[in-house]
Amino acid sequence: MTTMTTPVLQASGVTMRFGGLTAVRSVDFTVNTGEIVGLIGPNGAGKTTFFNCLTGLYVPTEGTVTYKGTVLPPKPHLVTKAGIARTFQNIRLFANMTVLENVLVGRHTRTKEGLWSALLRGPGFRKAEKASEERAMELLDFVGLAAKRDHLARNLPYGEQRKLEIARALASEPGLLLLDEPTAGMNPQETRATEELVFAIRDKGIAVLVIEHDMRFIFNLCDRVAVLVQGEKLVEGTSDVVQADERVVAAYLGEPFEGDPGTAETADVAAAETGAAPQSSTTSTKGEAQ
Amino acid sequence: MNTLPQQLANGLLLGSMYGLIAIGYTMVYGIVQLINFAHGEIFMTGAFGALTVYAYILPHGTSMWAAVPLMLIGGAIVAVLVAVGAERFAYRPLRQAPRLAPLITAIGLSLALQEVVRNFYPGADKARSFPSLDTTHDLGAVTIKDADIFLIIAAIVCMSSLAYFVRKSRTGRAMQATAQDPDTAQLMGIDTNRIIVIAFAIGGLFAAVAAVSYGLKYGNVDYRMGFLMGLKAFTAAVLGGIGNIYGAMLGGVVLGIAETLASAYINNIPGMQQLGGQSWANVWAFCLLILVLLLRPQGLLGERVADRA
Amino acid sequence: MTDTTKTPTPENTAPATTAPRGPLPLPTAAARALLLAGGLATLASTFLAWTWTSEFPGDLTVYGYPGGLQWLTFTAGLLTTLFTLASYQVRGLRWLLPAGNNTPLLLTAVGAFGVTWFTILAIAIELGGLVNLEPGGWIAAVASLLPLLGALALPPATATSGTGSTGGTKETIKAYVAKPEHIPAAQPLNGWAQRLIITAVTALGLAVFTYGIDTEYGELFIGYLIVVVFAVWALHTAGLLDRFSRLVAANRGFTLAMGFAAAIAFPFTQTDDHYANIGVNILIFGTVALGLNIVVGLAGLLDLGYVAFLGVGAYTAALVSGSEFSKFSGVQFPFWAAALTGMAASLVFGVLIGAPTLRLRGDYLAIVTLGFGEIFRIAVNNMDGQSGPDVTNGPNGIPSIPDLKLFGFNFGNPHDLGGFTLGRFANYYLLMVLIMAIVVLVYTRAADSRIGRSWIAIREDETAATAMGINGFRVKLIAFALGASLAGLAGTVSAHVTYSVVPTPYQFAGSTPPNSAFLLAAVVLGGMGTVAGPLLGAALLYLLPEKLDFLQDKSLLAFGIALILLMRFRPEGIIANRRRQLEFHETGQLDIPDTPTLTGEPAVTTKAGA
């Protein structure tokens, strides 16, 4: 806002409809380089839907999302390749892989050794594996998990699992990191540590977009905060501006909405995140329902 | 005999049988997202249950009017017991296990059921004859047997009562709720275990009806009959949109007709002269399955269930 | 290697008043003495005659030396004696019981008891009554019972793993067969000593395996299984397998080399080409199972028509083999070309099947592959020129496939090599060892690489893997196609080994391997995601119906039930992959990364599944 920076992520007029239900309505939104941006809103305001539009899980019904000037491809793995990495609200590590392996998987898009090179094990392969491992160890060092490289991810305590997820996302060398409720379930100390970590990530030159419930965390952290209510962007501005806005207070404390789009959306998201079918629709139902 | 209307009728009949079995796949899948591979074998045990009633319980010479209902009951009891037992003892303990575990269990169950029948049912290692209803009726363009009439009536009765049950009854609505979201349904006080058992039981019941129709139509049953029928019924369920009960029946009918037409007419296509006939029918059925998965993975009536790659 | 001193240690012989005791009321010292005495008596009894007639196979009528099943009793009795002596802290044997627990004593005692009583009962039943037993038989029966009684009087577990066996019978039994949680680390050995141990163990393994293949009658094979199962179990609970796997982990390359040396040595130990035939069939079966393991164990894709890819390879090889019954009888490819063609054909089918289905949920793949397996069988049955195009000769198959010739070496003729005569099957056996080596190499290298990690990631959590930039469809297709082409490769050899290809082996289920159900069972039984597991599973599943004729009819039934029970109680298989084990059991225990083990430890104390 104060300085002219280049936009990393630019969403313009993003609308997402599920059947007759509009979960997100013409949202314009920008994240610039070197910025930490927060996205808040009451439950069911369309945050996660919007988030999924950014990660390629959904293709917006209307509007476009561009990353560094190019329209985002409609597949999550291509979005990651393009340079947007993400974490999950309910941690989704590869539980039965080691800490190091988790981060190495994160390196997938930045390495290209295929089956043949794995089978032939030429010098190129060894070099790439070594470089990947070094890079992964740097990242583990960065989040403070280097000592636990050979532990299985499932055996880490909760806070460390969050850190590992961030390290794994960083391994894809993103230009933008999306954090989906990174402090959910954390105590104040852990939240504080996460704050430090996010600042450190920003200092590496990576833009960060955080979705959160915890207002204090957001306002401490973010250069700019956007508030999403009922699928529409209500306010956007610095922490002070947003905090002072009456409508935000009303939205958070005030009356619940009629025809709250939230229910359907949360159900969608729940269905999407059970892993069975990360798709916009719930798994098909008995012939009845439609 | 080989006229087009006759072929269509044959396809429709075969398809209704597929559809009845497919209901079992689709209901279970709709609720617990499990492909019960052993369902074909449940169909097979239903046939042997019915055969037991006819061959070992009823006195010789019982009129078919009396025998068929009793055979239906016998087949249903066996198939439902096997289906519910499979759920209770094989699948339920694995509900939280990785996906592969119930699938492998289902394979094991399928092998075990086949082998139990082959080893322990008298004479079941070869085809055993089943009372058939062979009286034919000439309806102009098509000729059908009594067994076909039984099959059509059974399919219609079964489908309409199932539709009524799912739509109108308390349990039916609870099933829909469980299919949508098992956790929430449970929170709402629905006993999801009971719902799952009911889904398996209905599957078993319908499989038994299909099994009796099969026996009456073809006049013999064997321990392997469930394998191919099960595979095709699954194909039918996918074709119609797995999870959707009307889709299962529609898929069955489409598959049945496609298969019949393919085996009757595909050898008329230049270059495919030798690929027609009954021996290639199964191949065409599976090609249809692959084609459907390629073009419309959600099936004819289904919503999208595909993973995004 | 335990650094305890003289006299029995407190942890073994805590005062009888406070220490827990076994179900039999005997002082610990007496129980131990009983074990030793019984073990020695069992050994001695094998030198007596157990029956009067040589009608019972193996001739157990001889005084002066053991024969047939007596050797197995002898082995089991020896193990019992050795473990008992180790529990007495006899110098030089202490390494047998690093954790000082009593479980190995019990297990070896059960093994000795089991094999002896099995023999006695088999004599009585087959020859018609107990009168057929000589006094030696009675002595053996009593002698083998003593160690069991002694072991049952010992407390179930060591002091370290607690005393509470207050629970039900189930808990008591579990406590009896539990492996101690902590195995004291061995004294560091220098590299040569380590390699010597690995060599010795490999040689022993080869001997044990060879004995199993060479068993001539069903009774001997059952006895062999009893002894091997209990002996391995005892070694496992003693902690020796853990120690050995640490050695293996430290000398991976050497162990692999020794393993292949042992595999190559096998035909040289055989005088009868029949057993080499069994060996080559096990190898084919095992190689295909290992290929399936890439698909199922690493990428988590359930392929139920896998044997069809073996069939595609076999038929392709047969068609280009130059057999006069082949449709292309004029064509005779050299082996390398035939192998590549077979692989390529399987690969094409793999991609054709995989491409439409791998975008969908895993269940669809399972059913489509099942369908494909069925199509393959129907198609090869029909393509006889009558009910289909003339390609495969229908149910009669393609016979008279000529033997392979490589560099002027004809696989069909016996060859002399350093005083050993290698028959036809031994030649093919050696070729299959080479092919298995390739598959093992492919498996291990692929597993430990970028692509292997992405397979595992996809299996673990597809959504998260996709968010990490992995193209799920692509890597799954690679796994599937790789699995298919490896099966195709094995198929090309198997066509030549069996002289002819016919449709029957290539179906979903049948009473003899290979078929898709058996392959899956081999992978699951042996241990998904491991190298040794599917090979062990394949060997077992091949030998069981081969050796036990009476099982032939019921083998599929047994496998069906075994699959259900395995998934319920030990889904990780015999040889557990550490990852898999944790996936299947919520143990909650912290892993100890600095002591990697090759074989996982069974989670005896936790419940499987939910």
Side-chain angles (χ1 to χ4, degrees), chain C residues 9 30 45 55 125-126 133 144 171-172 202 219 222 235 253 278 371 398 425 442 453 516 531 545 554:
Chain C
T9 53
S45 74
E55 264 174 52
I125 291 167
E126 283 178 35
L133 291 178
S144 66
E171 274 69 34
T172 318
T202 317
E219 293 87 347
I222 294 178
L235 292 173
I278 296 182
I398 303 173
F425 288 116
V442 167
R453 283 191 297 270
S516 293
V531 174
K554 308 273 190 299

Side-chain angles (χ1 to χ4, degrees), chain A residues 75-77 80 86 88 92-98 101 104-106 108-109 111-115 118-121 125-126 129 150-152 154-155 168-169 272 275-276 278 283, chain C residues 359 361 441-442 444-446 448-451 453-458 460-461 463-472 475 478 482 578-579 582-583 585-586 588-591 593:
Chain A
K75 303 248 171 170
H77 70 94
T80 312
R86 69 168 295 187
F88 291 87
R92 302 187 78 147
L93 289 168
F94 306 118
N96 298 308
M97 298 176 88
T98 65
E101 284 171 330
L104 286 174
V105 171
H108 190 89
T109 50
T111 45
K112 55 179 190 303
E113 278 62 43
L115 182 63
L119 297 186
L120 299 174
R121 303 252 145 157
F125 176 85
R126 285 168 210 279
E129 281 284 294
D150 291 325
H151 285 247
L152 290 190
R154 67 188 301 148
N155 290 331
R168 187 181 68 178
T283 46
Chain C
R359 290 181 195 278
R361 296 182 40 146
L441 203 69
V442 167
T444 50
R445 290 197 158 181
D448 176 30
S449 73
R450 174 174 174 268
I451 186 90
R453 283 191 297 270
S454 55
W455 287 336
I456 300 169
I458 287 280
E460 293 267 310
D461 185 336
T463 307
T466 313
M468 288 304 109
I470 294 171
N471 183 345
V475 298
I478 291 176
L482 177 66
R578 194 167 53 118
R579 231 194 270 290
L582 287 162
E583 187 177 333
H585 300 272
E586 293 288 338
Q589 81 211 0
L590 288 180
D591 58 323

Side-chain angles (χ1 to χ4, degrees), chain A residues 233-267:
Chain A
K233 194 169 77 178
L234 195 63
V235 218
E236 184 179 343
T238 60
S239 302
D240 298 336
V241 173
V242 172
Q243 265 170 307
D245 196 298
E246 289 163 6
R247 289 173 300 173
V248 177
V249 182
Y252 263 86
L253 305 174
E255 64 296 326
F257 324 100
E258 261 74 60
D260 183 1
T263 347
E265 195 227 351
T266 4

Side-chain angles (χ1 to χ4, degrees), chain C residues 494-547:
Chain C
S494 86
H496 289 275
V497 173
T498 52
Y499 293 113
S500 66
V501 287
V502 285
T504 38
Y506 309 110
Q507 52 185 348
F508 174 65
S511 54
T512 48
N515 53 60
S516 293
F518 261 61
L519 281 169
L520 184 70
V523 173
V524 174
L525 173 71
M528 276 185 274
T530 62
V531 174
L535 300 181
L536 177 66
L540 263 178
L541 290 188
Y542 188 87
L543 286 177
L544 282 174
E546 168 83 25
K547 295 288 180 188

Side-chain angles (χ1 to χ4, degrees), chain B residues 153-232:
Chain B
I153 294 175
I156 292 171
V157 170
C158 283
M159 281 312 290
S160 40
S161 31
L162 181 64
Y164 181 81
F165 172 75
V166 170
R167 226 185 262 265
K168 292 285 153 50
S169 76
R170 224 174 107 78
T171 313
R173 281 197 295 268
M175 291 186 106
Q176 288 183 54
T178 311
Q180 293 272 355
D181 185 342
D183 295 333
T184 313
Q186 193 148 29
L187 290 175
M188 294 296 159
I190 294 171
D191 180 354
T192 43
N193 271 338
R194 190 176 140 260
I195 296 299
I196 293 168
V197 167
I198 290 174
F200 271 88
I202 293 177
L205 181 69
F206 279 45
V209 175
V212 173
S213 323
Y214 180 100
L216 294 174
K217 189 165 158 59
Y218 298 113
N220 61 61
V221 292
D222 68 291
Y223 75 100
R224 304 183 77 153
M225 66 191 265
F227 181 72
L228 264 179
M229 285 301 278
L231 251 175
K232 299 242 208 87

